Amino acid sequence: MGETVEETAKREVFEETGLKLNSVELFSVYSGSGYEVAYSNGDEVALVQIMFSCNDFYGTITESEESIETRFFDIELVPTDILPTHKEIIEDLKVKEHRAVE
């Protein structure tokens, strides 16, 4: 409570990776029927994912209780066994990175 979405993103990244973010830039917002989830207990939720990009950070990358493995990947070498919603985000990031090079 009491955080902006930018502050929440920075806190979550620190909690999950040990990295401190300085500035973040809104990348995209993901929502809709592809982001509706039904849990085994019967709860149904509609997710809204607000994604930021950041190239201005410091600290040592570490694993947390919320991470199986924490490390940087070349955008072309991101593992394929990730959630379908994460695949969409990675593909959009590839398009953005490609446009920045042109």
Side-chain angles (χ1 to χ4, degrees), residues 16-17 61-64 67-73:
E16 295 178 20
T17 69
I61 196 165
T62 58
E63 293 178 9
S64 73
S67 308
I68 295 171
E69 181 180 8
T70 308
R71 65 184 174 111
F72 288 102
F73 290 92

Side-chain angles (χ1 to χ4, degrees), residues 20 43 54 56 94:
K20 289 278 198 172
D43 287 351
C54 176
D56 184 14
K94 287 179 182 179

Side-chain angles (χ1 to χ4, degrees), residues 3-71:
E3 290 181 316
T4 65
V5 291
E6 293 89 347
E7 290 166 338
T8 301
K10 290 177 179 183
R11 178 180 49 77
E12 286 290 327
V13 167
F14 178 71
E15 289 174 2
E16 295 178 20
T17 69
L19 297 175
K20 289 278 198 172
L21 307 184
N22 288 318
S23 61
V24 295
E25 180 181 330
L26 180 63
F27 174 68
S28 192
V29 177
Y30 296 86
S31 61
S33 60
Y35 293 84
E36 295 171 359
V37 178
Y39 293 108
S40 59
N41 68 358
D43 287 351
E44 297 179 323
V45 298
L47 302 174
V48 176
Q49 294 189 351
I50 303 170
M51 305 306 294
F52 293 92
S53 61
C54 176
N55 292 313
D56 184 14
F57 58 88
Y58 62 96
T60 302
I61 196 165
T62 58
E63 293 178 9
S64 73
E65 294 177 0
E66 298 181 40
S67 308
I68 295 171
E69 181 180 8
T70 308
R71 65 184 174 111

